[in-house]
Amino acid sequence: SQQGEEDPQALSIQEGENATMNCSYKTSINNLQWYRQNSGRGLVHLILIRSNEREKHSGRLRVTLDTSKKSSSLLITASRAADTASYFCATDTGRRALTFGSGTRLQVQP
Amino acid sequence: EAGVAQSPRYKIIEKRQSVAFWCNPISGHATLYWYQQILGQGPKLLIQFQNNGVVDDSQLPKDRFSAERLKGVDSTLKIQPAKLEDSAVYLCASSFGGAGEKLFFGSGTQLSVL
């Protein structure tokens, strides 16, 4: 079963708007990571947030983590057509390799 | 630096045939992973190697899937015999250290079983 579940499953926005994706997980974690996957390609690491961190920024990306609610969110500001991709959260529980959620498919309309 | 290399990119076989995938991780990365990604889903771990030893193969269907990591570098994943439900993208990833570190993925092998 999936440890992380993303919400929404699909999101369509206009260029310039912000996109927010959420991830919920079930068990305690060491860290949570977000990855992007363009169609037909492998996954690319975006950002890692540790369990003792609440917020992290990287360029136009902002990730938050709420361990009490077992949830994380990824915000992409001022989205571009090139941000069109699937986004996955992945959790590290310290017991096995990263477990990935089912992903959010983001479509940014030019 | 060179990324994770995988081949072939695409493979079409008939059910009950065998197939093999190859992966060359980033130089110096001790840990190598094989993930299976079914269309519309997230990657699911099949097997994890650290150097040339298996760390986790609990989700590998061992009656038909096998994997090895030669000399702690390249790895091959084999399916024999293939079933229709094996149609998926097979992703190889590597990391410098062990579990929990960020992963570097190859482009994957898209397998279609007819």
Side-chain angles (χ1 to χ4, degrees), chain A residues 2 4-10 37-41 43 85-88 100-106, chain B residues 36-44 87-89 91 110:
Chain A
Q2 302 280 18
E5 293 295 335
E6 285 90 339
D7 170 61
Q9 290 187 330
Q37 184 177 35
N38 290 87
S39 180
R41 309 297 297 176
L43 284 76
S86 291
Y87 292 81
F88 296 90
F100 287 83
S102 51
T104 292
R105 291 182 297 283
L106 173 66
Chain B
Q36 179 194 58
Q37 186 177 26
I38 293 172
L39 186 65
Q41 298 182 17
K44 172 189 155 188
S87 293
V89 176
L91 294 163
Q110 185 171 326

Side-chain angles (χ1 to χ4, degrees), chain B residues 61-105:
Chain B
K62 298 181 188 63
D63 58 334
R64 299 184 299 106
F65 286 64
S66 64
E68 61 179 1
R69 189 177 184 193
L70 305 172
K71 300 179 182 177
V73 182
D74 292 11
S75 177
T76 54
L77 176 69
K78 297 179 182 177
I79 308 175
Q80 182 178 10
K83 292 185 175 181
L84 297 178
E85 58 260 38
D86 298 331
S87 293
V89 176
Y90 291 84
L91 294 163
C92 178
S94 68
S95 64
F96 182 75
E101 294 194 3
K102 72 176 186 179
L103 304 185
F104 294 81
F105 281 84

Side-chain angles (χ1 to χ4, degrees), chain A residues 31 33 35 37 40 96 98, chain B residues 9 35 37 42 58 100 103 107:
Chain A
N31 70 62
Q33 304 178 29
Y35 288 79
Q37 184 177 35
R96 67 187 328 168
L98 290 181
Chain B
R9 281 286 281 131
Y35 282 86
Q37 186 177 26
S58 58
L103 304 185
S107 294

Side-chain angles (χ1 to χ4, degrees), chain A residues 10-108:
Chain A
L11 180 62
S12 182
I13 59 173
Q14 297 294 122
E15 216 167 18
E17 293 180 338
N18 295 343
T20 299
M21 289 157 262
N22 303 296
C23 169
S24 60
Y25 57 92
K26 298 173 185 173
T27 61
S28 61
I29 59 171
N30 292 335
N31 70 62
L32 185 144
Q33 304 178 29
W34 284 91
Y35 288 79
R36 183 188 72 230
Q37 184 177 35
N38 290 87
S39 180
R41 309 297 297 176
L43 284 76
V44 174
H45 181 268
L46 295 175
I47 198 164
L48 180 155
I49 187 164
R50 301 189 189 284
S51 60
N52 61 353
E53 298 176 309
R54 291 298 166 258
E55 189 171 311
K56 206 160 183 181
H57 296 255
S58 177
R60 294 183 297 112
L61 305 181
R62 172 178 169 254
V63 169
T64 61
L65 178 65
D66 187 334
T67 53
S68 67
K69 295 181 179 178
K70 292 188 172 58
S71 67
S72 174
S73 66
L74 171 67
L75 168 67
I76 304 174
T77 60
S79 62
R80 306 166 181 167
D83 295 328
T84 294
S86 291
Y87 292 81
F88 296 90
C89 67
T91 51
D92 168 38
T93 62
R95 291 186 289 278
R96 67 187 328 168
L98 290 181
T99 302
F100 287 83
S102 51
T104 292
R105 291 182 297 283
L106 173 66
Q107 177 76 41
V108 182

Side-chain angles (χ1 to χ4, degrees), chain B residues 15-26:
Chain B
K15 61 183 179 182
R16 291 189 289 275
Q17 286 187 324
S18 63
V19 63
F21 314 123
W22 174 82
C23 172
N24 184 258
I26 292 173

